[in-house]
Amino acid sequence: MFKFEGANILSVKQFDRESIEYLFRIADAMQPYAHRQKQTKVLDGAILGNLFFEPSTRTRVSFGTAFNLLGGHVRETTGLSSSALAKGESLYDTARVLSSYSDVIAMRHPDSGSVAEFATGSRVPVINGGDGANEHPTQALLDLYTIQKEQHAHQAGIDGMHIALIGDLKHGRTVHSLCKLLCLYQNLKITLISPKELAMPDEVVSAIENAGHQCVITEQLEGHLDADIVYQTRIQQERFPSEEEANLYRGKFRLNQAIYTQHCKSNTVIMHPLPRDSRADANELDNDLNLNPNLAIFRQADNGVLVRMALFAATLGVQDIVNRYETQV
Ligand code: CP
């Protein structure tokens, strides 16, 4: 099994099924702390360096919240232009310095491979919060945790399920990481719905096929939404050469309640890593789905705190002693 304590979390390729199940058991145990039914100070005195060199709402704040809920403190920097990287400092030097101020570092950066490069200079564990279009391992873990929970509610497991992924599959790092994790399971049907210009990279398609899954590649929504999970994504405008080019694809695959009723199963779960682009010309996930009980997007975001608490506890080696540091609520 993958040894979490002291390890960098850079790619989902590090995990096997046993280590994911282990991590999810820790995430389950974090629920009373995340829901404020219990308090723990197990990471009292520890510092998270939360370095976000690219915009974020959920990942940045949920990393910070998770660390606070374990009793630790958070130091942040946001934006490339306000860091010394803008003065030409290398990722290695930044890592050497900031890792002496922190016990663990979470980092997002616009370049693929940047977090791994940073980790070569770090003296503490580094967790990838998203590196360009490459990977978003903690999002994939929380997505998989959500899929498992939602499927459990329907008395089903992950093996044998049908998951349809929609949108900008070329640039979407969340779907790259999620597909790689799904390769650890068995007999899946994975439907990839995108314009052909935004198709899933060959490397990921090959991984799906080599895992023995059925992989369907299509440009059509209709006829492909009768899945257990429909995972919608945003057109990643920031990865296109221009806004005009991104606009060619925005709004191409909209989901709303009428489409859900016509094309999905009655229990199809809808997921999205968020943010959803709710501008009128995109509107990939209409607000009229907000009352649909199978819309899991906010439960998914909530699960991010549990999974990130579990990752901090495991990488810092306190997963078994959290309750020893409980204080009264
Ligand atoms: N899902 C996700 O990565 O969201 P943020 O960009 O808000 O962190």
Side-chain angles (χ1 to χ4, degrees), residues 81-92:
S81 60
S82 57
S83 88
L85 292 172
K87 301 178 191 171
E89 185 169 54
S90 68
L91 287 166
Y92 180 90

Side-chain angles (χ1 to χ4, degrees), residues 55-60 108 136 139 273-275:
S56 170
T57 294
R58 274 146 292 277
T59 312
R60 180 174 67 82
R108 172 173 289 186
H136 195 342
Q139 178 72 42
L274 302 178

Side-chain angles (χ1 to χ4, degrees), residues 58 232-235 237 250-251 253-255 272 274-290 295 297-298:
R58 274 146 292 277
Q232 176 67 292
T233 65
R234 176 179 67 88
I235 298 297
Q237 186 180 308
R250 293 174 74 223
F253 295 122
R254 296 164 190 249
L255 288 180
H272 190 304
L274 302 178
R276 56 176 157 170
D277 188 344
S278 50
R279 289 170 286 191
D281 60 346
N283 201 23
E284 67 229 9
L285 214 49
D286 197 282
N287 281 333
D288 72 359
L289 285 162
N290 288 356
L295 184 79
I297 58 176
F298 299 117

Side-chain angles (χ1 to χ4, degrees), residues 283-311:
N283 201 23
E284 67 229 9
L285 214 49
D286 197 282
N287 281 333
D288 72 359
L289 285 162
N290 288 356
L291 294 178
N292 184 325
N294 293 320
L295 184 79
I297 58 176
F298 299 117
R299 293 191 289 277
Q300 195 180 345
D302 290 349
N303 288 335
V305 172
L306 296 173
V307 169
R308 292 183 173 113
M309 287 176 81
L311 274 172

